[in-house]
Amino acid sequence: MKGQYNLLLVLIIALGLSACDRESANVVTLNVYPDSIINDVSIHPIGINVNYFMDGGRFPNSEQPVIKSLQDMKVKYLRYPGGEKSDLYMFAPSPYEKSQPTVSRTIGLEDYPGMFSEEGELLFDPLDFDEFMQICDSVGAEPIIVVAADRYLMPAEKGKRPAKRAELIKHAAEWVRYANIKKKYRVQYWMIGNESWNKNNINSTADIYAQDVIDFSKAMKAVDPSILVIPNGDNEEFFKTVITKAGNYIDRLCVSNYGVFSFDNGYQSYSDSVKCLIWPAQTALNAMNKYATKEQLSHWKMIVAEYGTIDWFNKWKGNNDMGHAIVAFDMTGQLLMQPQIEFSCFWNTRWIENESNLRDHDALDKDGNLTPTGTALKIWGNFLGKQMVKSESCDSILTYSSIDRERNSLFVYIVNKRGNVSRVKLNLSNQKNGSLSQAWEYFGKTPEDLNPVWQKKEDTDKYIDLKGYSITVLEYRLNLN
């Protein structure tokens, strides 16, 4: 309970939650403080996980290519080849001379129905590593690579090939060589396995994983000492072991942030209360600050390798609707307020069930069109300044703000969590001459609305009228010189 209280306190401070300041019974005044900087976001720290199963030739006749969709969202970090499937992926078979995806094992392929033949051959044209790097170049995004590193301790199964630790380490080093020595891609971020703490990593422990990190790091940095090696973790004890044992061999830490918890009544549990949606990231940050040395903390950052609205407790049905878009938008905002988080990657472009079962974690549909949660990502991507600044929220109305002093622009993001129409007035502290240059809104009829509307907002003047279940974005021109 104490930990939950502390996280809630952090959220209240970050969001500027306060008693409602009302101009009248029907108008809420929200304060924005352009001079009160909370976090530098000039690197545009918003990314997404791509899926090498789905983003290559899986949908050759899609209405919009994945490159265009990623450009629309303006994501600047792309994680490849994805999540748990990274731990069976090899960018090429030995002798690692050509980008040609294969698998490190045939055990566990049943986790991805419809993707592999019984012999372990991919049934659809995958997104290979060179193609992924071409996407990064076209989008202007930083590549994040996950190397297969765990599940080599899985029990042998008759007729199936297990992974071997030495081969995984060799593959990781050769991937660095291919990427940065042969192809000159200069890939900086290299993650050691995906969620290696997960129960899927049978027979492993935090100590075993920490030693794996050391051995992978040594082999990979022997090829290119400039790369950043990044282990993962989830709880304090796991991070403690990795940090204290492997801390001298790593450069960052990463965590998965699935912050939907205790949504017993679905979206209503969110709309009726203040929710810290980044408690997994906060747990990771607390462990890093507690167990890392001063020298390590001077250059370490936390990376959120995955985040999204998936409810692993199965209380909130995972439809891709307006309610999930609002929570995804809020979760992104909470992550952007954290100075020790370097960047965060949404999960994901589209999962393997995308064609028949579109879910909240799909940013794109099978035709490459943005879904509601993908649109939430697009809003942040297209309307983000260089620094997050302080703003106030009130009850069911959430407010974030960012500023770009070079452009004299202030962005204000307002979320109306509930269905009632609300009128607000913005007070831009110390900015008497601010003028509204553009306004947009994204809204649904209900939280379950599968087809929300994104449109330019024309009727904003002294007061801002917020539709129910909506995200409103305002850009002001300020005189900052």
Side-chain angles (χ1 to χ4, degrees):
M1 181 61 71
K2 182 178 179 182
Q4 292 178 346
Y5 172 79
N6 288 340
L7 290 174
L8 182 60
L9 182 61
V10 168
L11 179 63
I12 289 172
I13 293 171
L15 295 185
L17 291 168
S18 63
C20 293
D21 181 8
R22 295 190 177 274
E23 180 181 270
S24 66
N26 299 318
V27 180
V28 175
T29 299
L30 299 172
N31 296 304
V32 179
Y33 304 89
D35 294 327
S36 183
I37 298 169
I38 292 177
N39 189 23
D40 185 332
V41 292
S42 57
I43 63 170
H44 201 97
I46 303 171
I48 195 169
N49 284 263
V50 300
N51 186 336
Y52 89 103
F53 291 147
M54 308 294 282
D55 295 331
R58 175 69 179 85
F59 300 111
N61 299 315
S62 62
E63 296 174 6
Q64 179 165 267
V66 67
I67 289 178
K68 180 63 167 59
S69 304
L70 296 172
Q71 289 171 336
D72 286 349
M73 289 186 286
K74 283 189 166 54
V75 285
K76 294 301 179 183
Y77 294 85
L78 300 180
R79 185 172 180 247
Y80 175 89
E84 190 62 19
K85 59 188 169 295
S86 301
D87 280 312
L88 61 79
Y89 172 94
M90 299 179 74
F91 87 94
S94 180
Y96 313 107
E97 293 178 350
K98 179 183 178 181
S99 180
Q100 184 180 345
T102 184
V103 293
S104 63
R105 54 183 163 83
T106 56
I107 297 175
L109 296 186
E110 63 275 5
D111 294 340
Y112 309 96
M115 296 296 108
F116 293 99
S117 69
E118 291 185 2
E119 295 75 28
E121 298 295 325
L122 285 155
L123 296 178
F124 300 101
D125 177 28
L127 181 70
D128 68 38
F129 176 58
D130 286 332
E131 291 170 335
F132 167 70
M133 291 304 302
Q134 290 169 10
I135 289 178
C136 289
D137 184 61
S138 297
V139 174
E142 190 82 19
I144 317 300
I145 302 301
V146 189
V147 300
D150 63 30
R151 299 186 74 168
Y152 60 83
L153 293 172
M154 296 178 72
E157 296 181 19
K158 185 177 180 180
K160 294 188 177 182
R161 173 167 56 88
K164 296 181 180 179
R165 185 177 188 271
E167 290 179 357
L168 295 179
I169 294 174
K170 174 69 172 176
H171 165 259
E174 291 301 324
W175 197 352
V176 174
R177 190 184 314 280
Y178 179 86
N180 290 358
I181 307 303
K182 180 177 180 180
K183 303 292 286 191
K184 310 295 185 186
Y185 287 144
R186 294 181 292 180
V187 177
Q188 186 176 21
Y189 297 93
W190 296 83
M191 294 182 173
I192 310 302
N194 176 78
E195 296 183 353
S196 301
W197 44 268
N198 196 296
K199 64 181 180 181
N200 290 333
N201 193 11
I202 298 172
N203 295 323
S204 187
T205 65
D207 281 301
I208 291 173
Y209 177 64
Q211 187 59 54
D212 288 343
V213 170
I214 292 171
D215 293 341
F216 272 80
S217 180
K218 287 179 177 179
M220 295 165 72
K221 289 199 172 194
V223 177
D224 182 356
S226 71
I227 65 171
L228 302 177
V229 171
I230 310 158
N232 59 75
D234 69 328
N235 59 52
E236 180 177 326
E237 285 302 309
F238 195 97
F239 273 114
K240 176 183 177 181
T241 299
V242 172
I243 292 169
T244 56
K245 185 170 183 176
N248 291 333
Y249 298 88
I250 63 180
D251 306 281
R252 301 287 192 274
L253 294 170
C254 75
V255 66
S256 295
N257 188 94
Y258 293 104
V260 171
F261 176 68
S262 70
F263 278 39
D264 296 337
N265 296 315
Y267 179 81
Q268 186 177 346
S269 295
Y270 168 78
S271 65
D272 288 352
S273 63
V274 177
K275 290 289 187 184
C276 178
L277 301 173
I278 60 169
W279 54 270
Q282 288 285 357
T283 299
L285 288 170
N286 290 340
M288 182 177 77
N289 291 326
K290 184 175 181 179
Y291 298 111
T293 66
K294 289 183 179 180
E295 194 279 330
Q296 289 165 347
L297 284 176
S298 70
H299 64 272
W300 281 8
K301 288 273 192 176
M302 185 66 63
I303 294 168
V304 176
E306 301 176 15
Y307 78 94
T309 59
I310 299 174
D311 180 7
W312 296 108
F313 304 94
N314 297 315
K315 300 289 182 66
W316 188 22
K317 189 175 181 180
N319 293 327
N320 206 312
D321 53 28
M322 188 63 205
H324 284 86
I326 286 175
V327 174
F329 185 86
D330 187 9
M331 190 180 294
T332 306
Q334 291 184 30
L335 291 168
L336 288 169
M337 300 291 276
Q338 299 296 313
Q340 287 185 292
I341 292 178
E342 187 166 8
F343 58 84
S344 304
C345 294
F346 183 79
W347 179 265
N348 65 294
T349 48
R350 45 197 168 191
W351 185 235
I352 61 175
E353 300 169 334
N354 177 277
E355 189 172 13
S356 60
N357 187 19
L358 191 68
R359 304 303 299 274
D360 63 297
H361 47 270
D362 292 315
L364 315 177
D365 66 17
K366 64 181 178 61
D367 290 314
N369 300 309
L370 299 188
T371 63
T373 53
T375 301
L377 211 61
K378 170 186 174 178
I379 296 171
W380 276 117
N382 284 270
F383 299 92
L384 183 63
K386 298 294 183 64
Q387 298 165 316
M388 298 297 293
V389 298
K390 180 182 176 182
S391 61
E392 289 182 348
S393 299
C394 173
D395 194 21
S396 63
I397 300 173
L398 299 179
T399 309
Y400 295 96
S401 186
S402 69
I403 195 166
D404 187 334
R405 295 183 179 278
E406 295 177 3
R407 294 173 50 191
N408 289 327
S409 292
L410 177 75
F411 299 94
V412 181
Y413 324 91
I414 309 174
V415 176
N416 186 4
K417 296 165 63 176
R418 297 178 186 166
N420 55 297
V421 175
S422 298
R423 173 166 284 189
V424 300
K425 178 182 179 181
L426 287 181
N427 176 31
L428 308 182
S429 176
N430 298 323
Q431 295 294 330
K432 304 299 183 183
N433 300 318
S435 61
L436 184 67
S437 60
Q438 64 171 325
W440 293 81
E441 59 186 356
Y442 191 50
F443 59 93
K445 296 177 181 178
T446 67
E448 293 77 31
D449 193 337
L450 300 175
N451 297 289
V453 175
W454 169 247
Q455 66 181 23
K456 197 169 183 62
K457 187 174 175 63
E458 301 289 354
D459 58 350
T460 300
D461 193 7
K462 179 179 179 182
Y463 301 107
I464 301 107
D465 290 321
L466 308 176
K467 291 184 172 63
Y469 308 117
S470 65
I471 301 167
T472 300
V473 184
L474 310 167
E475 181 181 4
Y476 289 90
R477 293 295 182 189
L478 304 181
N479 183 12
L480 298 172
N481 297 323

